[in-house]
């Protein structure tokens, strides 16, 4: 453990949690005044973001902020903790909530969607769950908030309340609740039996929680129960829920893919690997490389499937399945460069992917088009939307100076540093596949004549409350590429890393 790392007990850890807990209640209370209702989301997002930001100086100085809430019995408690890894996820979730609120207003009002208060309420609770996951200091705490996200995003996936919506939502719930009950709960029990505690070992990613004499077979079983119990990470074959959830409104898809749901999954996998098992144990049992190869398989196969999809949201969904495994492969390689690249991708992917989904929603609001072949030429009618889409696509591909390049640079160098050239090849192949399914969308939009039978005369940009957020998130994606230390500083202090 780095000598400068130390814990400080402080109730300030609770402030973002209290804000995000009270926000949904205020939204419901103000449901008859839609302007005040939406104003609550803006205010809560800003307050939560700045309260998270207030903990940054301490963390960069080596402080791990903690707050113990309740102990059920020895080694099993609800405890919150904030370290470098926590801040990456919490900053992303609260910051993007502000942009998502603006976008939500344009989308929901333009389409005159029903049940808007329920929608905003569940959206806000999902952010509360995301902050809780980010600040979890124990496996129990993480599990509880992980389930909060699942339960309260179900109504969002089923929002349209039609047969397709209920079918997608059922699959969503069965996959995520099923894996958490069948795999994640037994993993927690085994961890407690082997370790005598469910408290994360924060401050030292090398040691983890398990004692030196722990049975390797039981440790291995526990590890894979965790890996597949955290189904939100969408590691194949626990991935099919994610494309099925695309029946939800597009802002929900952005929440699922960029802000809360899948990020809670890959964050949790990262936390379990580094703060529960630790680098030394994963390396000695060979579990890191096995996981890296599983992630590489997911990256390549999901990218190939994305190539076959003509529905824009479906293509983006399989892109997400692939991109999430960049985070897992980075952490699983267990080399400093790769781990840094993987953790950075939590933020870098979030800004690019929310831009892509914002663009998909803006296209639908303005044109009611979903199929890529029908989008020929509409980039000339919607230059801001497709320009932002192009920037975010470049990030997914990994073209400098956009942030995705930084991720892939660290991952590639990490693979070389441990002489894993097959993993390097998978990363390079995925980059070509990323280009294969993103470049044609942009090319069609700007350089092809209008598709036959599609009247472009009435097409124009979506409302500015939608276009401005997607342009800003695209711009931030570029800035993160130009200034990689923005989130990189958190990885540098994480676990004495």
């Amino acid at each position: 453990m780095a000598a400068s790392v130390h814990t400080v007990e402080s109730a300030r850890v609770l402030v973002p949690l209290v804000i995000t807990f009270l926000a949904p209640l205020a939204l419901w209370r103000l449901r008859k005044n839609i302007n005040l209702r939406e104003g609550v989301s803006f205010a809560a997002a800003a307050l939560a973001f700045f309260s998270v930001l207030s903990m940054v100086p301490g963390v960069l100085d080596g402080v791990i902020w903690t707050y113990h809430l309740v102990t059920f019995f020895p080694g099993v408690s609800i405890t919150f903790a904030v370290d470098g890894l926590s801040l990456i996820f919490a900053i992303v979730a609260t910051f993007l909530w502000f942009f998502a609120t603006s976008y939500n207003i344009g989308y929901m009002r333009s389409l005159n969607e029903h049940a808007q208060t329920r929608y905003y309420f569940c959206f806000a609770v999902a952010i509360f769950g995301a902050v809780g996951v980010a600040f979890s200091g124990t496996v129990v705490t993480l599990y509880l908030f992980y389930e909060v996200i699942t339960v309260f995003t179900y109504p969002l996936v089923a929002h349209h309340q039609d047969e397709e919506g209920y079918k997608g939502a059922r699959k969503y719930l069965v996959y995520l609740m099923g894996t958490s009950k069948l795999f994640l709960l037994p993993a927690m029990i085994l961890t407690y039996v082997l370790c005598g505690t469910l408290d994360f070992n924060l401050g030292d990613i090398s040691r983890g929680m398990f004692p030196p004499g722990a049975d390797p077979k039981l440790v291995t079983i526990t590890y894979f129960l965790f890996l597949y119990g955290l189904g939100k990470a969408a590691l194949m074959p626990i991935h099919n829920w994610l494309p099925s959830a695309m029946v939800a409104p597009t802002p929900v898809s952005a929440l699922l893919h960029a802000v809360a749901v899948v990020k809670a999954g890959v964050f949790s996998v990262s936390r379990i690997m580094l703060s529960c098992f630790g680098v030394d144990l994963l390396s000695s049992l060979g579990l890191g490389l096995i996981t890296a190869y599983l992630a590489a398989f997911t990256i390549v196969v999901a990218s190939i499937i994305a190539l076959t999809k003509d529905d824009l949201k479906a293509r983006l969904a399989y892109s997400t399945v692939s991109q999430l495994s960049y985070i897992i492969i980075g952490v699983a390689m267990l080399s400093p460069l790769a781990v840094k690249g993987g953790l950075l991708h939590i933020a870098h992917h979030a800004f690019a992917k929310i831009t892509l989904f914002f663009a998909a929603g803006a296209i639908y609001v303005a044109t009611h088009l979903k199929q890529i072949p029908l989008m020929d030429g509409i980039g000339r009618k919607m230059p801001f939307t497709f320009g932002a889409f192009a920037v975010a696509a470049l990030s997914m591909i990994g073209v400098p100076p956009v942030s995705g390049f930084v991720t892939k640079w660290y991952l590639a160098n990490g693979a070389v540093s441990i002489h894993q050239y097959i993993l390097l090849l998978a990363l390079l192949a995925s980059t070509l596949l990323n280009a294969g399914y993103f470049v044609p969308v942009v090319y069609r939009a700007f350089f092809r004549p209008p598709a036959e039978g599609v009247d472009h005369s009435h097409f124009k940009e979506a409302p500015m409350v939608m276009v401005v957020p997607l342009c800003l998130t695209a711009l931030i994606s570029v800035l993160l590429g130009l200034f990689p230390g923005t989130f990189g500083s958190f990885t540098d202090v994480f676990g004495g890393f």
Side-chain angles (χ1 to χ4, degrees):
M1 180 186 296
S4 59
V5 176
H6 57 285
T7 61
V8 174
E9 183 89 3
S10 174
R12 69 189 303 168
V13 174
L14 296 180
V15 175
L17 289 160
V18 171
I19 292 169
T20 51
F21 176 77
L22 293 177
L25 303 179
L27 286 166
W28 188 263
R29 179 69 179 82
L30 297 170
R31 61 189 179 276
K32 294 182 180 179
N33 188 323
I34 60 173
N35 291 325
L36 283 178
R37 181 190 64 192
E38 269 84 306
V40 167
S41 291
F42 280 119
L47 290 171
F49 172 68
F50 285 111
S51 63
V52 171
L53 216 58
S54 71
M55 289 179 272
V56 168
V59 170
L60 293 181
D61 285 338
V63 172
I64 298 175
W65 302 103
T66 65
Y67 188 83
H68 176 77
L69 192 63
V70 62
T71 297
F72 299 111
F73 47 90
V76 180
S77 67
I78 295 180
T79 301
F80 300 103
V82 180
D83 61 3
L85 179 56
S86 304
L87 286 179
I88 293 174
F89 185 27
I91 287 173
V92 167
T94 54
F95 187 64
L96 287 179
W97 187 17
F98 193 89
F99 291 95
T101 296
S102 173
Y103 186 89
N104 274 328
I105 293 169
Y107 186 93
M108 300 300 283
R109 293 189 184 183
S110 294
L111 297 178
N112 196 28
E113 288 282 356
H114 74 292
Q116 291 190 24
T117 297
R118 182 189 68 193
Y119 173 92
Y120 284 108
F121 177 87
C122 292
F123 205 101
V125 175
I127 301 297
F128 166 67
V131 174
V133 166
F135 285 6
S136 294
T138 70
V139 182
V140 173
T141 312
L142 186 146
Y143 173 78
L144 292 175
F145 283 95
Y146 181 93
E147 294 290 52
V148 165
I149 296 173
T150 302
V151 171
F152 283 91
T153 48
Y154 170 83
L156 295 174
V157 177
H159 176 79
H160 292 305
Q161 295 180 254
D162 54 16
E163 183 179 351
E164 187 182 20
Y166 285 127
K167 182 180 178 182
R170 279 196 302 271
K171 181 179 285 189
Y172 176 82
L173 201 61
V174 167
Y175 267 77
L176 298 186
M177 293 292 281
T179 53
S180 68
K181 298 298 181 288
L182 290 174
F183 304 138
L184 189 53
L185 275 176
M188 290 170 58
I189 294 168
L190 279 171
T191 301
Y192 185 74
V193 169
L194 292 169
C195 303
T197 182
L198 292 176
D199 295 347
F200 288 127
N201 181 15
L202 302 171
D204 185 0
I205 65 172
S206 62
R207 284 196 304 117
M209 294 163 51
F210 289 82
D215 186 331
K217 291 181 181 178
L218 285 178
V219 171
T220 300
I221 291 170
T222 304
Y223 176 76
F224 282 105
L225 286 172
F226 270 121
L227 190 63
Y228 285 104
L230 295 164
K232 290 186 178 75
L235 192 67
M236 285 184 171
I238 313 295
H239 72 285
N240 197 248
W241 63 269
L242 201 155
S244 298
M246 291 302 94
V247 296
T250 303
V252 175
S253 300
L255 174 77
L256 293 174
H257 290 251
V259 184
V261 180
V262 296
K263 286 302 183 301
V266 290
F267 171 88
S268 298
V269 169
S270 301
R271 177 65 83 191
I272 291 294
M273 290 180 71
L274 298 174
S275 299
C276 180
F277 289 86
V279 170
D280 293 346
L281 183 59
L282 292 177
S283 181
S284 65
L285 295 178
L287 296 174
L289 279 180
I290 292 172
T291 307
Y293 276 93
L294 290 171
F297 176 82
T298 300
I299 288 170
V300 174
V301 173
S303 295
I304 292 171
I305 296 173
L307 280 170
T308 70
K309 301 298 179 181
D310 282 335
D311 183 283
L312 181 57
K313 284 180 67 177
R315 184 171 293 192
L316 294 179
Y318 278 100
S319 166
T320 299
V321 174
S322 174
Q323 292 282 329
L324 290 175
S325 280
Y326 280 108
I327 298 165
I328 297 174
I329 198 173
V331 175
M333 280 193 275
L334 304 177
S335 74
L337 288 172
V339 172
K340 184 169 186 173
L343 298 183
L344 282 176
H345 203 53
I346 293 174
H348 293 176
H349 173 262
F351 284 94
K353 186 51 62 78
I354 203 170
T355 302
L356 294 170
F357 273 104
F358 279 176
I363 293 164
Y364 181 72
V365 166
T367 69
H368 287 278
L369 296 177
K370 296 181 179 180
Q371 299 296 313
I372 295 168
L374 299 179
M375 296 179 186
D376 289 359
I378 67 172
R380 295 188 290 275
K381 292 285 188 176
M382 305 177 68
F384 291 107
T385 296
F386 273 94
F389 185 98
V391 170
L394 291 175
S395 183
M396 295 290 101
I397 296 167
V399 177
V402 195
S403 59
F405 170 75
V406 177
T407 292
K408 294 193 178 186
W409 178 261
Y410 278 115
L411 293 178
N413 279 280
V416 171
S417 71
I418 59 172
H419 310 293
Q420 286 295 324
Y421 299 107
I422 294 178
L423 297 179
L424 176 63
L425 185 63
L427 293 169
L428 295 175
S430 72
T431 296
L432 294 176
L433 291 167
N434 295 159
Y437 61 73
F438 277 124
V439 171
V441 179
V442 178
Y443 177 80
R444 280 178 172 274
F446 284 112
F447 301 107
R448 293 281 292 270
E452 186 176 348
V454 179
D455 180 13
H456 283 210
S457 61
H458 63 287
F459 290 169
K460 61 180 181 179
E461 293 282 5
M464 283 297 103
V465 290
M466 299 176 69
V467 175
V468 170
L470 75 91
C471 289
L472 288 176
T473 51
L475 174 62
I476 293 169
S477 191
V478 175
L479 293 175
L480 290 176
L482 294 173
F483 303 99
T486 305
F487 285 96
S489 56
F490 301 134
T491 67
D492 293 337
V493 297
F494 169 54
F497 184 46

